[in-house]
Amino acid sequence: MYPKDEAIIASNERRDARRSQRQVYITFALENSYAVEIKQVREIIDLSVGEITRPPGLPAFMRGMMNLRQQMVTVIDLRSLYQMAPLADTSQSKILVVERGEECFGLMVDAVENIMTIEDSRRYGAPKMMRNPNSQGDPRSEMDEVINIDGADGAQKTLSVFQCDRLLERLAREIPALAA
């Protein structure tokens, strides 16, 4: 074989191996349905689990602080962050708890819909028109991939993949400016 052929074969083998891998996702509602890799989320709790205390001076999208088993969690209301109307009925609302270093954040969503395993071959880059990394107040700023899942009655459904790290990095840059 020629070296060029070997490189192509190796590239195809890596692609095929990647396609045969699977990831586990949590699907959640925030006006629309989204997905997040389960490895980005430490746990899912009900909104009513603990009392949320709101210290003065927090930005409007920060719901407050919650003591979760002796660890303080900063609760971020994603509806408020993305300038969506408040939810009338929060009985299904959940908090996705994510850890970054020693800090813990709770991302408040309308509901958790499902936990599912999806093959990587069903994961795609989002079309450029859907991605908007510079948008403020739009969940698209935290997404650059989509997954296809089988919906009810066999219909295909496409979900945007939410990146918790990207959101937390953006908030780390913006919050000091909001506090000034």
Side-chain angles (χ1 to χ4, degrees), residues 92-121:
Q92 296 294 311
S93 293
K94 304 286 185 202
I95 297 175
L96 305 178
V97 179
V98 296
E99 274 183 321
R100 294 301 174 263
E102 294 189 19
E103 292 200 58
C104 215
F105 300 90
L107 307 178
M108 197 170 105
V109 299
D110 297 348
V112 169
E113 298 172 334
N114 204 351
I115 296 176
M116 56 182 51
T117 302
I118 305 292
E119 291 181 13
D120 282 350
S121 63

Side-chain angles (χ1 to χ4, degrees), residues 40-169:
Q40 294 185 39
V41 178
R42 184 180 88 181
E43 64 186 293
I44 302 167
I45 59 173
D46 285 322
L47 181 59
S48 62
V49 162
E51 183 179 326
I52 298 174
T53 305
R54 184 169 173 78
L58 288 180
F61 63 83
M62 291 182 75
R63 185 58 79 95
M65 305 294 291
M66 178 174 66
N67 187 342
L68 181 65
R69 292 185 297 283
Q70 306 305 313
Q71 185 172 17
M72 295 308 292
V73 178
T74 303
V75 179
I76 299 166
D77 183 345
L78 293 181
R79 280 190 151 274
S80 178
L81 177 68
Y82 297 127
Q83 293 141 15
M84 297 176 184
L87 197 60
D89 177 17
T90 59
S91 63
Q92 296 294 311
S93 293
K94 304 286 185 202
I95 297 175
L96 305 178
V97 179
V98 296
E99 274 183 321
R100 294 301 174 263
E102 294 189 19
E103 292 200 58
C104 215
F105 300 90
L107 307 178
M108 197 170 105
V109 299
D110 297 348
V112 169
E113 298 172 334
N114 204 351
I115 296 176
M116 56 182 51
T117 302
I118 305 292
E119 291 181 13
D120 282 350
S121 63
R122 301 185 85 180
R123 185 173 179 153
Y124 306 97
K128 286 187 179 184
M129 291 184 71
M130 280 182 61
R131 291 182 261 158
N132 192 355
N134 299 320
S135 72
Q136 307 295 326
D138 188 335
R140 292 178 300 165
S141 61
E142 276 67 67
M143 296 167 216
D144 57 3
E145 294 180 318
V146 296
I147 56 172
N148 278 335
I149 63 170
D150 294 323
D153 63 20
Q156 288 286 314
K157 187 175 180 181
T158 301
L159 302 177
S160 296
V161 178
F162 193 85
Q163 300 293 331
C164 295
D165 288 336
R166 188 175 299 162
L167 168 66
L168 297 176
E169 287 169 11

